[in-house]
Structure formats: C-alpha cells, structure tokens
Amino acid sequence: MILLRKALRTIRENKAQFFGAFFMVLISSMLIVGMTMVSANLGAIFTSYSANNKLADAEFNTAREIEIDSLEHRFDALIEKGSMVDYELTPGQTLRIFSENTRVNLHALLEGQDLSENGILLDPLFAGANDLYFGDTLMLNGAEYKISGYMALPNYIYIIRSKEEMINDPKTFGIAVLSEQNLEGLAGKTDFYALRFNQRENIHEQELLFKEHLLVNGIEITSWESTVNNPRVSYVDLEVQYLSTLSKAIPGMLLMLSIVLIGILLNRTIQRESAVLGTLYALGYRKAEFLRHYLIFPLLIAGLGGLLGALLGLAMVKPMLDFMMTLAFSMPVDTYQYNYIALLIGILAPVIVLCLSSYLSISLQLRAAPAELIKGARISDKLNFIERALKLERFSFNTKFQIREQVRSLPRTGFLLFGVVVATMLLLYGLTLQSSLDYMLDEGITALYDLKYEYVFKEIQSDQPPAGTEQFNAILVSSQEDRSFNFYVVGALTESTRLRLKDPSGNKLIPDRVIITNMLADKLQVNQGDEIHFVDNHDLREYSLTVEALADSAAGEFVFIPLDVMNEMVGLPPGSYIGIWTDEQMEFPEGVISSTKSIEAIAAGIRELVSQTGILVYTLTVSAFVLGLIIIFLVTGMVIEESKKTISLFKIMGYRPKEVNKLILNSNTIVVVGGYLIGIPVLLVSVTALWQSLADSLQMTIPARLNFWYVLFGFFVVMFTYQVSNLLSKKKINKIPMSEALKAGTE
C-alpha cells in the first residue's frame, strides 16, 4: 500500500508525461476495438447479404439465347435472365430500373411494402436525395407507378452509374425494381444473364470453364463482368481491408510511442530514486518488490487507458456503421455484432505490451548492487559513441550545447523523432490522398485524352466513323501469369490526335508501335523489349506482344497498339472498330451503344472524391496537431526537468530569460525538422504499399504523390505546434530558482 501511494504521488508530480502516455494508449485501444469491430461487421453483413440474396458471380451477354436448364445442371449453378432500362426522369437524372429477379441478385426490402401490380421499389439514397416517399407516383413512359417501398440490390451495394465515376451521386443516379411484366413496356430494355455457382470455392476457375463451354459450343459472349471486378460490390471489400489495415497500423505506432515514453519515464524515475532504492535494498527489500512497485505505472496507464479506450471504441461502432449504411453502402442490417474478443484485445494488448517492455527496462536498471545505487552510480557521465564521434570544437557554445542536449539522451531524442514522424504521417495522409487523386486526374486522365466523350458500340463497326470522331478498338484481357489481373489492349490510329502519349523523358509518342503505360509495366514487371502474354477475356484466345516503348502516364493500365495491327491480331477486317472518341455529345439509334463515357464526368467524380476527403484532412490535421503538441511538450518537459541545475547556473551567470529559453527550448529544432523530413518518404512508401494491397478491390492503381505546397503547409503546422509547445514550456523555465544549482551542489 505504501509503494502504491508512492506510485500515485509520482504520477501526480509528473502528470503531463503520464497523461500523454495514457492518452496514446486510450486512442490506440479505441481504434483497435472500433475499427476492428466495424470492419468485422461490414464483412459479416456483406457475406450474409450476398449469400441470402444470391449475389451473382458474373453478369454476361451472349449473341444468342442460351439453354439455362442444361447449363445450370452441368455447372451446378443458378442462372437467371434479367432486364434493365436506363430511364431519364428529368434531364441529367437517370433511374436504372431492373426487372424483379426470383433466383439470382434478389432484392432486399428495406422499408415499406414489396412490389405490387403497379408498384415500384427505389433505393433509399435516391429517394431521400430527391424527396420521394411512399405513396408518391413516378411517371414512366406514360404509365404511373406507385412507390411502395425502399430496396437494395446485392450487385449494386455501392450505387454508381459506372466504375469510372467513382463517387455515388444519388441526386442524379439511382436504381429501382419493377415487375418483369411492367419493365417489358419500357423502351430501351437490355437483357443480360446473372450467374451464381453453388460451389463457393475456386469461383474464377469455374467462370473460365463456363466461358470455355459457351465458346466451344459456338455461343459468342458479347460482354462479361465478374463480380470481383465490379466496383459496386468490390468497394465493400475495399473498405473492409482498409479499416482492417488501419486498425493495426495506427494503434501499433501509438503503442510504440507509449512504450518508449513509459520506458524513459521509468528510467528517469529509477535513476532519480537510486539512492533510496539502494537504502531499501540494504534494509532487506527484494528486487521483486521493486519490480512490482514500478510495474504499477504501466499497469495503471495501460489498464485504465485500455479499458476506457475499449469502451469508447465499442461506443463508436454503431455510429460508424450507421453512417456507412446510410450514406455509402446499401445493405439490409438486422443487428450489429459486438466481438468481445476484440474488446479483450483492446483492453489487454496495451497492458501486456507496456508491462512486458517496462519489465525489461526496470530489470536492466535494477541490476546494480545496493552500494552502487546508494552512490547514484547508475547515472552515467560517460560520453556515448555519437558524442565521441562528433567534432564539436568548431561550433559556438550555443550550438554545442544544443547538440549535446540531444545526443546525451538518445531514448528521449528517439521518442521525439519517432513521434514527429508519426504526427507527420497523420498530418499528411489526407493531403497525400488529395495530391494523388489530383495527379491521377491532371497528369493521367486529362493529360492522356484530348476528348470529351467515348462511345462504345454493342457490335463491331466497319463503316466510316462520323465526321470529327476518331475510331478505336479495345479488348479486356488477363495476364497469363495471374488470370485475376485485368487490363485493356487498345488499338488506335497511328495518326491519332486524341491520345497524348509521352515517354519517361517527355518526348511525344504515337501509337505506331506497342506502347505500355509505366503503371502496367511495373505491375507486370516488364520493360522495353520484353514480351507480355495475355488472354482475351471475351473469347479466351491467347496473345503475345513485344513491348516497344513505355508511356509515362498515370491514367491507368493500358497497352496501345496500331488499330490495323490489332484488327489483324484478333481476326477482324481492316478498318473495324468498337468505339469512337469525340468532343461532341452524339445521339444514336436505340440499342446501338453499349456504353458512354464522359471525361468531364470522370473528372467531376474525382474532384468530388477530393472534396469529400476534406473532412478527413481536417480531422487528421487536428489529430496530428494534438499528438505533436503532446509529444513535443512531453519531451520539452523532460529536457527542462533534466536541465534544472544547468538552467539555474545560466541564471546565476547572468543569462537573460530569453537567452535561457532559446538554449533549452530550441535544442529540439533539428530533431523536429529531421522527423518531419523522414516522415514524408516513410508516408509515401506506406501509402504506396497500402494502395497496392487494395488495388484489386479498387480496380485501379493510384500513384502516391504529395504536392509541394502541401509539404510546406505540413511543415508550417509542425513548426507551429513546436512553437506552441515551447510557449507553454517557458513558464516552467521561469519558475526554476537560482538556488536550484546550490541545492544540487549541497546534495
């Protein structure tokens, strides 16, 4: 009990340092529990929804009807023919209406009543954004349909018009379900097949066998989209992976900071109390009792911080999931599951990690004999290897003093350096995301394409393209080494004016040879002169091409070849093309166009994504400011505590308060600047690794970039934090009396 009271008194005397460690443990535990449970719930909800509502493994079109019963029996699968219509309610507002399915991609009723004879179901995001309620009517092709309820479709969990748009905009695009009979009366109907295998293993291999069977039997596949490549579904898995990664990375860094901080505090406490410890040793106290005493510090901090953080993490699960289910993902939810194993991990992980590291640190400090401890011999005056290696004689006294302040306490310097690196990564993470998206837009999409619209036809065209347009051909292919990795081979005119390709040196390239973008070259690990081998996803034919040039482009993963070469390669007549590029919006007869892509819409989607990261940027900026302030303030407090005698001597020698403050407080400037500079490349490497791990779900590779102005902004925030910390620490220096040096000499 006496030692417990002593521990509590020590914590009160050094409350700033111990509160800093407590705060970092609390945040790390909160993120471990909160993000882990949100990620697990999101994954469980998706798994349950896709199983209960029979999410298709692929959707495809064929040139002629297929025998559904025969194929279902042969491949142990469910196949259903469905229909879809894109209906423009008002100019610029499209409702994608699906026929009601009974076997695959079953809709889930979220609210209201299910389909009636003249009823229609809407997705809740579209209904909410456009003030559409139960009982309201929609006029479709002259017929009135009553809104009977809100629904969700498993193949449209993230509701976007196309994968290029990236951001859902419920004001302009939504989905609906009509009965098959009512959908037949709408113009522009498109039929397609949905396929789901009953055996839930090796889905990709089953898809390949299914496609091979169709092709062998003379059934041409006009389009095929695997669900794993459908961003409307795969973005859920992306979010799960993202949260799972962050739930380990950020808490891990904060726990590391806590370990270093607690280690420094315990070492300083033991060294300061070494004479008392030696006396107690001599009186009969055992080492185990001292270990128990000093382990109270990490046990209290980790126990209370872990418990409170775990409870806060538990409290954030429902609001976060409600936010995601309301504004991002449309899925039915019965209840959220609370994983008490994750709760225990959030509570016990900080306790175990901090207590084990503290045990090792305390044991090293208590190895000395009682006589050595009584003499205070544990505080070494020897120069470490760094100080011996430095030639400080050529510097002024102020510079030498500030350098020695850092190298004579390497754990303290390491804690500050690592802390500033972590704060820098938090501060610049959101800004890096914005910079990367800006780069992908400005140096990628808009830099590559000199056009406004891309129209893709349902069938190969051979006649003269419309005036003012430029024709192209394209096939979606898979790498032979990794059949799950897809990219496009594009055939373009050798005199193309719509493509602006440049080599890594900035020289213009024209598609008169085989050109591969550097992003794809990095993914395939090929260079100029190497061969690439791929399989056409449409007819499973195998091809090989020799890379003749690399294009420096952030627009995506493409291979560009001459149009005539491509037509010959795939066996099409000369002059054939599948699409056109143009600057003018065009009208075509119904059923001619397969897809329309607007470069302006894609750019707007990316800009909207950038704008939506604003909240993330502000949150991380404030978090980094608070974390940096705590870390720098704690280290500055340690410097002042360890330099009390020196500060007192400076005052006796006539140094003015401003000069003393400059000597003591500015000694950390080099470390703070160094930590910021180190944090930038560490961040870029970390973000690159994170986005590469998410590339399959994201269906694109985003290059990690950081705008120069953002770097300057981050530096300003870090240095402002440093100056605020110094300002708060000046009072401590001013309170140190000149008698401190005399008292130290007497002792």
Side-chain angles (χ1 to χ4, degrees), residues 208-250:
L208 291 177
L209 292 173
F210 187 91
K211 291 165 74 173
E212 286 176 356
H213 177 79
L214 293 182
L215 294 170
V216 167
N217 286 274
I219 300 174
E220 181 186 356
I221 302 172
T222 56
S223 70
W224 184 284
E225 182 177 57
S226 299
T227 299
V228 293
N229 297 326
N230 180 2
R232 303 176 187 93
V233 178
S234 62
Y235 277 7
V236 181
D237 186 52
L238 170 69
E239 189 70 23
V240 171
Q241 293 180 58
Y242 182 71
L243 290 173
S244 178
T245 302
L246 290 187
S247 70
K248 300 177 182 65
I250 297 178

Side-chain angles (χ1 to χ4, degrees), residues 30 33-34 37 309-320 338 343:
M30 182 182 74
V33 174
M37 286 195 185
L311 293 177
L312 289 174
L314 196 65
M316 69 183 275
V317 172
K318 188 177 185 303
M320 281 190 67
Y338 293 95
L343 186 66

Side-chain angles (χ1 to χ4, degrees), residues 45-72:
I45 292 168
F46 170 68
T47 301
S48 174
Y49 182 35
S50 60
N52 294 338
N53 292 75
K54 307 298 182 184
L55 172 64
D57 296 314
E59 294 178 0
F60 63 95
N61 292 90
T62 56
R64 60 183 176 88
E65 295 283 330
I66 62 174
E67 296 180 3
I68 292 179
D69 293 339
S70 173
L71 290 170
E72 284 185 332

Side-chain angles (χ1 to χ4, degrees), residues 172-190:
T172 60
F173 180 77
I175 59 173
V177 172
L178 266 180
S179 66
E180 185 176 356
Q181 180 181 356
N182 287 334
L183 191 71
E184 289 291 335
L186 299 181
K189 180 174 68 74
T190 300

Side-chain angles (χ1 to χ4, degrees), residues 248-382:
K248 300 177 182 65
I250 297 178
M253 290 188 292
L254 293 177
L255 279 180
M256 285 292 294
L257 284 171
S258 303
I259 289 170
V260 177
L261 178 57
I262 291 294
I264 293 172
L265 292 174
L266 290 176
N267 286 348
R268 290 176 63 241
T269 303
I270 293 172
Q271 289 177 355
R272 188 172 60 246
E273 299 172 352
S274 61
V276 177
L277 291 176
T279 303
L280 291 175
Y281 257 140
L283 290 174
Y285 274 81
R286 292 169 297 172
K287 181 180 178 181
E289 293 176 286
F290 293 126
L291 277 171
R292 285 199 299 271
H293 163 60
Y294 285 112
L295 282 174
I296 290 174
F297 295 98
L299 189 60
L300 281 174
I301 291 169
L304 291 176
L307 178 61
L308 184 56
L311 293 177
L312 289 174
L314 196 65
M316 69 183 275
V317 172
K318 188 177 185 303
M320 281 190 67
L321 285 169
D322 286 344
F323 177 80
M324 289 182 178
M325 295 298 110
T326 303
L327 297 179
F329 303 124
S330 182
M331 292 188 287
V333 180
D334 294 327
T335 182
Y336 298 138
Q337 302 295 322
Y338 293 95
N339 186 341
Y340 294 103
I341 294 178
L343 186 66
L344 285 175
I345 291 174
I347 296 172
L348 296 179
V351 174
I352 295 171
V353 170
L354 260 70
C355 286
L356 280 178
S357 60
S358 298
Y359 176 83
L360 295 174
S361 176
I362 296 166
S363 299
L364 289 174
Q365 291 293 315
L366 296 178
R367 287 185 307 177
E372 292 179 344
L373 289 171
I374 291 173
K375 295 175 184 177
R378 298 302 296 157
I379 304 176
S380 176
D381 292 328
K382 293 182 179 179

